[in-house]
Amino acid sequence: MKKYHLRWRAVALFLAILLVLPLAACAGKQGKTLLTLDLEGTKVTFSVNSFQFLLSRLRGYFVRQGIANSAGSADEAAFWDVQGYFDETDTLKTWDTFYSEQVLENCKTYLVGLWIFEKNHLFLSESARANIDEKMNDLLTYQANGSKAKLNSILSKYGVNYDLLKSFYEIEAKNEAAMIFLYGENAKLLDATVKDPYLNANYFHYKRILFPFYETSDDENETIRAMTDEEKDEQRAKANTLFAELQGKEEAAFEAALTGENGEDEFTDGYYLPISGTLSSGTAEEEIREKLGTMKIGEIALLELSEGIQIVRRYEPTPEAYDLSVNAVWFTSFADNLMAELFAKQCKSYADKIVVNEIVFTETPKIKETEPNNYF
């Protein structure tokens, strides 16, 4: 039985990826209460409709990514009945059970974020509220031709209506405000003693010597020409020869070979890849990531990818690499992901204070019975 050891991280808030219940199930403006946190004079709740909405986002992500298992693709009900080991335990669960539970845990994080927001008397800025209003107006205009009734009909597939969706967007914004309160804009309240361990635990650092399967012309148009099979064979031979020469050599030898073969690379500190990628596979990035996961620091490997042959050397991450301008392209989500991970851990400490309405949770359809949400 295959084990799926997965890491959950947020993008922008908690769930860039995060089903379905008829609109009639909504109880009042906020829907039925699924979670409650009543602590230190501050009480907050999280509705079942927001839970269903997050489930719909997750299934939408799976479908968009083309994720499949032995039963087929994520848009088929049988996909969610497949069993597997999804974490570091030996507990066998269906995809439906595991991911529904993961979304429930994320809902608890949202709930604690709301509690931190209210407990510390935070407020949403005018720009944050304006952004929400603009988003809702855009949805009304472009998804429903200005008709709220039509938009509600569309949203009912995901367990919400216009008011509930706007309320959820406000929850997201309040969680973001809570994170900024704790860690600062772009994690500016956190220093290297926090950031570097996160960097080391979550990123591969490597440099490569590339033997491309294409040529770029020297003219101003920089025309790209694919190499012939014979030329590719020559590149393979050169790469294999150099790879053999570099066996057992120190870093300086690799750096000299890199400069000699590829010239001055624009990425002078090399390349960085998140250790935990998506569930999709087959891309060049994923092949490099998988290879790096088997390598020790200082080890080299030979990879043939669609763009050419690469001799890859794994490095220790450079201290404070996330602050180097040359590395900006690799760390666009670094601060968001770091804050989200810290926030999730901090919120988890309140787990035993959260009351789950087990009846509502048990009666709520899970991912298997839902439709994918790709737009909201």
Side-chain angles (χ1 to χ4, degrees):
M1 180 74 65
K2 182 176 181 181
K3 291 193 177 185
Y4 299 87
H5 296 299
L6 306 179
R7 290 175 56 82
W8 284 83
R9 289 191 298 180
V11 177
L13 222 296
F14 288 106
L15 311 159
I17 58 174
L18 263 186
L19 226 161
V20 197
L21 197 64
L23 189 61
C26 300
K29 182 176 180 180
Q30 297 303 319
K32 294 180 181 178
T33 296
L34 176 64
L35 304 173
T36 302
L37 177 59
D38 189 354
L39 187 65
E40 298 177 15
T42 300
K43 180 179 179 180
V44 291
T45 61
F46 196 86
S47 76
V48 69
N49 301 88
S50 292
F51 169 64
Q52 295 156 5
F53 179 72
L54 291 177
L55 287 170
S56 74
R57 278 188 174 180
L58 177 58
R59 188 164 187 177
Y61 172 80
F62 272 51
V63 172
R64 289 195 306 276
Q65 293 294 315
I67 296 168
N69 61 26
S70 60
S73 61
D75 58 353
E76 301 174 51
F79 171 97
W80 301 99
D81 289 330
V82 173
Q83 294 184 321
Y85 299 96
F86 293 91
D87 46 34
E88 299 306 320
T89 71
D90 290 325
T91 302
L92 195 63
K93 294 182 178 181
T94 65
W95 287 62
D96 183 45
T97 297
F98 176 78
Y99 286 104
S100 295
E101 290 174 350
Q102 289 297 310
V103 174
L104 180 64
E105 293 306 306
N106 284 318
C107 291
K108 293 178 182 179
T109 300
Y110 276 115
L111 179 71
V112 178
L114 278 176
W115 181 82
I116 293 172
F117 182 91
E118 299 296 342
K119 174 67 177 176
N120 292 282
H121 306 291
L122 306 180
F123 61 90
L124 291 183
S125 66
E126 289 298 323
S127 62
R129 292 192 177 280
N131 286 337
I132 294 171
D133 289 339
E134 182 179 3
K135 184 185 295 186
M136 295 304 301
N137 288 334
D138 285 345
L139 291 177
L140 193 60
T141 300
Y142 299 111
Q143 297 290 331
N145 297 319
S147 168
K148 186 175 287 189
K150 182 177 180 180
L151 182 59
N152 281 340
S153 177
I154 295 170
L155 293 175
S156 68
K157 295 183 295 183
Y158 314 123
V160 295
N161 58 21
Y162 180 95
D163 290 332
L164 288 166
L165 180 59
K166 184 175 182 179
S167 176
F168 178 75
Y169 288 157
E170 290 173 351
I171 291 173
E172 287 186 312
K174 288 177 180 179
N175 269 254
E176 185 172 6
M179 283 196 290
I180 292 173
F181 168 75
L182 294 173
Y183 311 123
E185 291 275 2
N186 295 315
K188 68 180 181 181
L189 297 181
L190 303 174
D191 60 21
T193 62
V194 176
K195 293 179 178 178
D196 278 351
Y198 179 81
L199 170 70
N200 296 334
N202 289 277
Y203 285 83
F204 289 124
H205 179 208
Y206 72 99
K207 294 184 181 181
R208 69 175 191 179
I209 302 172
L210 175 64
F211 294 85
F213 286 162
Y214 58 86
E215 281 187 341
T216 304
S217 66
D218 293 330
D219 59 44
E220 61 181 18
N221 294 322
E222 295 187 341
T223 304
I224 296 176
R225 178 187 71 82
M227 289 184 173
T228 64
D229 290 342
E230 291 78 10
E231 289 172 319
K232 290 180 181 180
D233 285 339
E234 291 177 6
Q235 292 289 74
R236 291 188 182 97
K238 289 171 61 180
N240 282 314
T241 298
L242 180 57
F243 183 65
E245 292 174 355
L246 289 173
Q247 295 299 317
K249 297 293 181 62
E250 298 297 324
E251 177 181 325
F254 183 88
E255 297 280 351
L258 189 159
T259 302
E261 188 63 39
N262 296 152
E264 292 294 335
D265 197 315
E266 62 179 308
F267 301 116
T268 55
D269 190 38
Y271 299 75
Y272 288 83
L273 272 180
I275 290 175
S276 298
T278 66
L279 293 178
S280 57
S281 60
T283 63
E285 179 181 285
E286 189 63 25
E287 289 185 57
I288 295 171
R289 179 185 287 112
E290 289 180 2
K291 175 57 70 174
L292 289 169
T294 68
M295 297 167 62
K296 298 177 181 178
I297 303 298
E299 187 177 348
I300 62 172
L302 188 70
L303 290 173
E304 180 167 335
L305 305 170
S306 58
E307 66 172 354
I309 310 290
Q310 293 189 24
I311 301 176
V312 173
R313 186 180 196 276
R314 185 176 172 187
Y315 287 70
E316 289 274 11
T318 301
E320 301 184 47
Y322 41 82
D323 283 337
L324 298 177
S325 59
V326 71
N327 288 335
V329 67
W330 313 124
F331 294 110
T332 55
S333 300
F334 179 84
D336 285 338
N337 291 338
L338 168 60
M339 290 194 298
E341 182 169 298
L342 293 175
F343 195 56
K345 288 179 179 178
Q346 184 164 346
C347 290
K348 202 171 185 67
S349 65
Y350 292 89
D352 62 342
K353 306 292 194 303
I354 295 173
V355 177
V356 180
N357 189 325
E358 296 292 351
I359 294 176
V360 171
F361 180 70
T362 300
E363 294 176 348
T364 302
K366 305 307 185 295
I367 296 179
K368 181 182 175 181
E369 297 86 20
T370 66
E371 288 189 35
N373 169 8
N374 294 311
Y375 303 104
F376 305 100

